[in-house]
């Protein structure tokens, strides 16, 4: 068996926390991170996370059960904080004894962290920390680990780059807390760098989206292999009153359609036909639908091709185990050269 002693040592806290061989998380990707990819990641020594997205509690129930049939290794579930049935989804995770719940999409609503940690089957809570102040608040509120994710990432993004977030947050937090770094990681050399800065592990999405085990449509994968870093662009907000979290995706007609959708929702908001929360939810549902069109149906023109800037480093379909082995070997080589 190949081992990566220097990398594994730096990942030790993350590995202990996740219960996986490596502290490489595959971040949840709506429609992509389902039973096949999640189980493959965990079976290969990474940590897979189911993307609940807009799933109903019944659908999540089935997805967790099916994933558990495919792996006996730990995996997590990513829940979106604005999901109207968040507490029912938490109960589903509890029923299955899911060990780790990732809360994404905003500050966890009151009682959610307690519900995850306090039930009959307590789970660990992982939260996204967009700023240092919020990171400290999340830790005080009971988060067991944090993900700091830069704007190079695919999907919903914040305004700050991974390298700056890492420099700002790791020296303050990493000695006493578990911090995973995400966004723009395509090679193991970058993993080595963040581990040396104090991260306990990393999270990647784009790098795994086109793995052999990913159910993404072949045309979705082809679009990724053809793209370069500069094709993965952030969406723009068209209306001041309608705060829309930017999304990084490959340029296509679908990205333009999103601008039109924002204008349409802003119009409805103008006419006071819906409340702000509902308007934002409509935007999120739009993304989920557009992503499904691209990932599942292969409509790479009108669908959303959410991808991070590391997409330029993807050239071919590879099994998850090979990707993880390569990342670990590259990290090890970089650390050995120090
Ligand atoms: C196609 C796609 C869909 C995503 N969907 C979600 C999601 O549903 N929930 C979430 O928290 N993050 C989502 N993400 C973000 C990933 O979980 C991960 O944090 C991110 O991809 C890491 O950055 P990278 O793309 O540079 O590797 C998505 C990313 C991609 C590429």
């Amino acid at each position: 068996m190949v081992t990566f002693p220097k990398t594994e040592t730096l990942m030790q806290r993350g590995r202990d926390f996740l219960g996986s061989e490596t502290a490489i998380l595959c971040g949840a990707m709506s429609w992509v991170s389902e039973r096949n990819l999640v189980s493959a990641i965990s079976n290969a020594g990474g940590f897979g996370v189911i993307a609940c997205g807009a799933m109903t509690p019944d659908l999540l129930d089935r997805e967790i059960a099916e994933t558990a049939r495919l792996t006996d290794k730990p995996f997590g579930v990513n829940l979106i904080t604005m999901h109207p049935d968040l507490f029912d989804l938490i109960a589903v995770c509890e029923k299955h004894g899911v060990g780790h719940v990732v809360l994404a999409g905003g500050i966890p609503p009151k009682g959610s962290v307690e519900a995850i940690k306090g039930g009959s089957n307590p789970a660990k809570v992982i939260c996204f920390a967009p700023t240092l102040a919020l990171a400290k608040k999340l830790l005080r509120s009971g988060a067991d680990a944090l993900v700091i994710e830069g704007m190079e990432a695919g999907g919903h993004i914040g305004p700050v780059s991974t390298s700056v977030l890492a420099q700002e947050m790791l020296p303050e937090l990493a000695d006493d807390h578990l911090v995973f770094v995400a966004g723009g990681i395509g090679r193991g050399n970058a993993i080595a760098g963040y581990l040396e800065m104090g991260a306990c592990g990393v999270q990647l999405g784009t790098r795994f989206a086109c793995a052999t085990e990913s159910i993404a449509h072949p045309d979705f994968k082809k679009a990724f292999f053809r793209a370069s870093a500069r094709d993965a662009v952030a969406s723009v907000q068209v209306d001041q009153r309608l705060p829309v979290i930017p999304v990084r995706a490959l340029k296509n007609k679908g990205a333009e359609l999103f601008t039109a959708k924002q204008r349409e929702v802003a119009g409805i908001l103008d006419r006071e036909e819906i409340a702000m929360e509902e308007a934002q939810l409509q935007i999120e549902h739009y993304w989920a639908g557009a992503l499904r069109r691209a990932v599942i149906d292969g409509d790479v023109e009108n669908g959303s091709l959410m991808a991070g800037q590391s997409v330029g480093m993807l050239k071919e379909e590879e099994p998850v185990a090979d990707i993880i082995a390569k990342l670990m070997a590259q990290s090890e080589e970089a650390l050995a050269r120090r």
Side-chain angles (χ1 to χ4, degrees):
M1 201 181 100
V2 194
T3 56
F4 309 98
K6 289 178 194 292
T7 305
E8 283 163 3
T9 302
L10 289 177
M11 283 182 172
Q12 193 58 52
R13 291 185 308 150
R15 298 162 67 202
D16 291 344
F17 172 73
L18 297 169
S20 50
E21 245 170 74
T22 72
I24 297 179
L25 287 133
C26 173
M29 294 175 275
S30 290
W31 301 111
V32 182
S33 295
E34 48 68 75
R35 63 194 76 167
N36 291 289
L37 183 63
V38 173
S39 60
I41 297 273
S42 291
N43 285 334
F47 189 83
V49 180
I50 294 175
C52 174
M55 274 185 209
T56 60
D58 277 350
L59 278 176
L60 180 66
D61 187 54
R62 210 171 317 146
E63 204 54 45
I64 297 173
E66 292 301 323
T67 306
R69 244 190 280 279
L70 297 172
T71 182
D72 56 3
K73 301 276 182 351
F75 61 87
V77 174
N78 175 301
L79 302 177
I80 308 290
T81 51
M82 66 169 83
H83 195 299
D85 300 325
L86 179 64
F87 285 85
D88 294 335
L89 297 168
I90 291 172
V92 171
C93 293
E94 183 186 348
K95 175 185 137 190
H96 286 278
V98 168
H100 301 72
V101 175
V102 184
L103 290 175
I107 303 300
K110 207 165 187 293
S112 55
V113 173
E114 292 81 351
I116 297 166
K117 297 181 72 162
S120 54
N121 254 335
K124 305 265 195 311
V125 179
I126 307 174
C127 293
F128 285 86
T131 64
L132 185 57
L134 270 171
K136 289 179 178 166
K137 186 165 183 269
L138 288 164
L139 291 165
R140 277 198 306 274
S141 314
D144 298 293
L146 299 175
V147 178
I148 56 173
E149 180 173 76
M151 47 91 87
E152 298 93 319
H156 292 76
I157 52 169
V160 183
S161 69
T162 308
S163 65
V164 169
L165 286 177
Q167 291 172 76
E168 234 175 45
M169 312 249 250
L170 290 174
E172 293 276 338
L173 302 170
D175 281 350
D176 303 320
H177 302 286
L178 299 167
V179 184
F180 295 87
V181 172
I185 299 175
R187 292 180 59 86
N189 311 54
I191 297 178
Y194 292 127
L195 290 174
E196 281 185 320
M197 290 170 77
C200 68
V202 289
Q203 169 162 308
L204 287 74
T206 301
R207 185 76 177 84
F208 288 118
C210 299
T212 311
E213 296 89 341
S214 154
I215 59 149
H217 194 281
D219 290 345
F220 180 91
K221 294 185 181 181
K222 267 190 221 147
F224 269 50
F225 300 141
R226 273 199 292 260
S228 67
R230 61 179 58 207
D231 295 323
V233 293
S235 64
V236 257
Q237 182 178 324
V238 299
D239 192 293
Q240 280 297 327
R241 293 157 315 136
L242 185 61
V244 173
I245 304 168
V247 166
R248 186 174 298 286
L250 298 183
K251 279 186 267 185
N252 67 353
K253 199 163 142 225
E256 289 164 27
L257 291 173
F258 175 60
T259 310
K261 178 70 188 175
Q262 284 187 73
R263 287 212 180 89
E264 179 197 318
V265 175
I268 306 174
L269 202 61
D270 268 346
R271 297 195 294 277
E272 295 179 2
E273 288 165 13
I274 49 168
M276 177 62 81
E277 206 167 285
E278 171 58 23
Q280 283 170 315
L281 216 56
Q282 277 201 18
I283 297 279
E284 288 314 308
H285 284 159
Y286 177 83
W287 273 123
L291 185 60
R292 185 185 194 287
R293 274 204 296 285
V295 173
I296 306 294
D297 306 337
D299 183 354
V300 295
E301 261 308 298
N302 302 297
S304 167
L305 295 164
M306 286 185 192
Q309 293 179 335
S310 68
V311 71
M313 289 178 250
L314 263 69
K315 294 292 166 234
E316 58 184 350
E317 205 174 75
E318 290 169 287
V320 155
D322 290 4
I323 298 175
I324 292 179
K326 251 187 216 173
L327 292 170
M328 291 297 283
Q330 288 162 349
S331 167
E332 195 64 14
E333 206 184 302
L335 293 171
R337 259 189 269 119
R338 307 282 204 258

